Amino acid sequence: FQAEDGIRDAQESRGLGDVYKRQALGGGVAALAAASAYGVTNPPFGLWPSLAAMRADYRTATGQQRHVTFAGDVAISLNTQTSLAIRSAEGMQDRIELVVGEASFATSARVARSLMVLAGDGRTIAESGRFDVRCMTTGERSSVTVTCFEGAVRIERGADVADLQPGQRVGYGHDGLSQIAVVNPEIASEWHRGIVEFRATPLVEAIEEINRYRPGHVFLMSAALGRKPLSGLFRIDQMDDALLALERVFGAKLQHLPGGIVLLS
């Protein structure tokens, strides 16, 4: 009987061991699936488009710009790393969602129809005119800015409303709607001409913008260097020139790795 009890104990132990192994394996698979799902919705360092961006109707790759026409009379310019999705019209209102990126919208006076651009948790409405919308995402949060160049646009976010005239800009995000600011239209529209300008921009912010136009990724390895201000005009198709400028101006060290990866220190 003792021998039989020992065999049963050994079998039960092996059975429990198998259960624990299956649980561990199941937990590992679940963790991998969760990590994969997060990577699809929130790509690390923006190294690839999110699932929502990939499903958009119009997209631009890193460093690419594109021009499209919507509804026959809306001219749209997409900046780099931008995704637009066409949404169903509501009544006499055409709707487009800016999933991520930056786009310019221009429309002439429309008969009894308006254009709505959805971005983040707000919307921009225009009868006619020209305006830019920029939507940047970090994790689950979006930061949106709207700039009016011609005509008039209305921005709505919940109960908050802002009406813009040419040369005005407003932003919104998790902190709500900002105050209306006055901008220089010439400077604000430089990306339309393939130019990026930095004006005493903290280097950490400038690197984020450089990464939008340049394949690969630049990693800033020094917090002190990230606080230094950068000024200059650069072509969006020649962003490596900006990195060379950092070597000259700040004495920064560039370490180039495969895949367009650069370590900046």
Side-chain angles (χ1 to χ4, degrees):
F1 293 109
Q2 291 178 349
E4 292 179 358
D5 290 342
I7 292 173
R8 280 197 301 270
D9 291 343
Q11 289 175 337
E12 290 175 356
S13 297
R14 285 197 297 273
L16 288 173
D18 291 340
V19 170
Y20 293 143
K21 288 178 182 178
R22 287 195 296 271
Q23 289 178 340
L25 180 59
V29 170
L32 179 60
S36 299
Y38 183 82
V40 169
T41 56
N42 300 277
F45 308 112
L47 292 177
W48 59 81
S50 67
L51 183 60
M54 287 189 289
R55 287 178 173 175
D57 296 286
Y58 301 105
R59 287 185 53 223
T60 54
T62 299
Q64 180 188 14
Q65 293 183 331
R66 182 181 180 186
H67 305 283
V68 299
T69 300
F70 168 68
D73 61 353
V74 180
I76 306 175
S77 297
L78 287 74
N79 200 4
T80 180
Q81 295 185 0
T82 296
S83 296
L84 289 176
I86 306 303
R87 300 306 181 201
S88 300
E90 287 187 351
M92 301 302 290
Q93 201 165 62
D94 294 317
R95 302 193 310 153
I96 301 175
E97 180 182 358
L98 176 61
V99 180
V100 68
E102 187 172 27
S104 177
F105 303 86
T107 177
S108 56
R110 315 178 82 199
V111 179
R113 295 195 69 80
S114 59
L115 173 67
M116 175 189 291
V117 178
L118 307 166
D121 57 357
R123 54 191 185 178
T124 300
I125 303 168
E127 303 293 337
S128 65
R130 182 167 63 90
F131 60 95
D132 284 8
V133 183
R134 177 182 171 109
C135 179
M136 298 291 106
T137 60
T138 303
E140 300 297 326
R141 291 182 172 180
S142 296
S143 175
V144 180
T145 56
V146 182
T147 307
C148 178
F149 295 99
E150 297 176 10
V153 296
R154 167 165 288 200
I155 294 85
E156 299 178 352
R157 180 185 181 275
D160 297 328
V161 176
D163 292 301
L164 299 186
Q165 299 298 317
Q168 294 184 330
R169 170 182 290 167
V170 74
Y172 61 84
H174 67 280
D175 291 331
L177 201 64
S178 73
Q179 296 293 319
I180 295 175
V182 176
V183 298
N184 183 324
E186 187 74 13
I187 295 175
S189 62
E190 283 179 332
W191 70 266
H192 299 178
R193 300 182 293 279
I195 297 173
V196 173
E197 181 176 6
F198 300 113
R199 293 192 168 199
T201 304
L203 190 55
V204 64
E205 297 178 14
I207 292 300
E208 290 181 3
E209 191 69 8
I210 290 172
N211 281 328
R212 297 184 62 233
Y213 295 95
R214 181 189 174 279
H217 198 87
V218 180
F219 291 92
L220 186 60
M221 311 302 292
S222 168
L225 185 60
R227 292 190 291 269
K228 292 183 178 295
L230 175 65
S231 297
L233 283 170
F234 303 96
R235 294 284 310 174
I236 65 173
D237 56 352
Q238 299 174 359
M239 294 310 292
D240 279 340
D241 290 347
L243 299 182
L244 295 176
L246 300 182
E247 279 189 312
R248 296 192 303 270
V249 176
F250 301 124
K253 179 182 177 182
L254 301 177
Q255 183 179 356
H256 294 269
L257 301 177
I261 302 298
V262 175
L263 305 182
L264 178 61
S265 59

